Amino acid sequence: MPRSALSLAAPLLVAPLLVLPLVLAPATALAAPATEAEMNLYTRIAAVNVCIARGAGVPFDKAVGIAGETVAQLIQGQHDGVITQVGPKPLSLDDLRKGSINSAVLGAAEICPKEVPADVMAKVQDALKQPAPKPVAKPATQPTPKPASPSK
């Protein structure tokens, strides 16, 4: 009895499924800190997701929580929790969540203010009126002393 073309092609169809997880696995050895441009993109995506979810009737807290968690997991998985603007030290997943949720709220207030509850919008407006925090000064590095030249 001849084998069908499908049974002959089955190994060829399954092979990509076996390789796909290896291709999609995060490359932690190659992970670079999230740049300012990447963070702007992630914030924009989170905000758009909040707006879409709100338009679909999802409660604000739930929409912001999901968007924030998505961005936090993305930064953790793709950048090992390191954000260039923050510094070289990886942030904890909890810190990433807090920052991502705040970014999603601020972005949603900008993109779809009608989808943001009035009390949250008032808090956002108050926060935007505050002066930006001053960056923490890094300690000055001392120059490396030059070795003394041998005297003759």
Side-chain angles (χ1 to χ4, degrees):
M1 179 176 224
R3 295 176 68 183
S4 72
L6 183 58
S7 66
L8 292 173
L12 297 174
L13 296 173
V14 173
L17 297 176
L18 298 174
V19 175
L20 194 59
L22 298 174
V23 173
L24 294 178
T28 54
L30 303 175
T35 65
E36 184 175 354
E38 288 170 322
M39 291 305 299
N40 289 337
L41 174 64
Y42 301 156
T43 295
R44 187 80 172 176
I45 291 169
V48 168
N49 276 298
V50 170
C51 297
I52 292 169
R54 291 290 290 150
V58 175
F60 183 76
D61 288 347
K62 186 177 254 183
V64 168
I66 292 169
E69 181 68 23
T70 301
V71 172
Q73 292 290 334
L74 175 64
I75 297 167
Q76 180 69 43
Q78 294 299 309
H79 305 285
D80 289 335
V82 181
I83 301 171
T84 302
Q85 295 163 283
V86 176
K89 187 177 177 185
L91 298 172
S92 70
L93 191 53
D94 191 48
D95 286 341
L96 289 171
R97 285 179 179 127
K98 289 174 188 173
S100 296
I101 287 170
N102 286 340
S103 294
V105 170
L106 291 172
E110 180 184 335
I111 295 172
C112 58
K114 292 180 181 177
E115 298 295 346
V116 178
D119 63 321
V120 174
M121 212 47 205
K123 289 178 186 176
V124 167
Q125 295 301 327
D126 288 343
L128 293 175
K129 290 177 188 173
Q130 300 298 316
K134 294 181 182 178
V136 177
K138 294 182 181 178
T141 56
Q142 297 295 325
T144 307
K146 295 181 182 177
S149 58
S151 58
K152 292 186 177 181

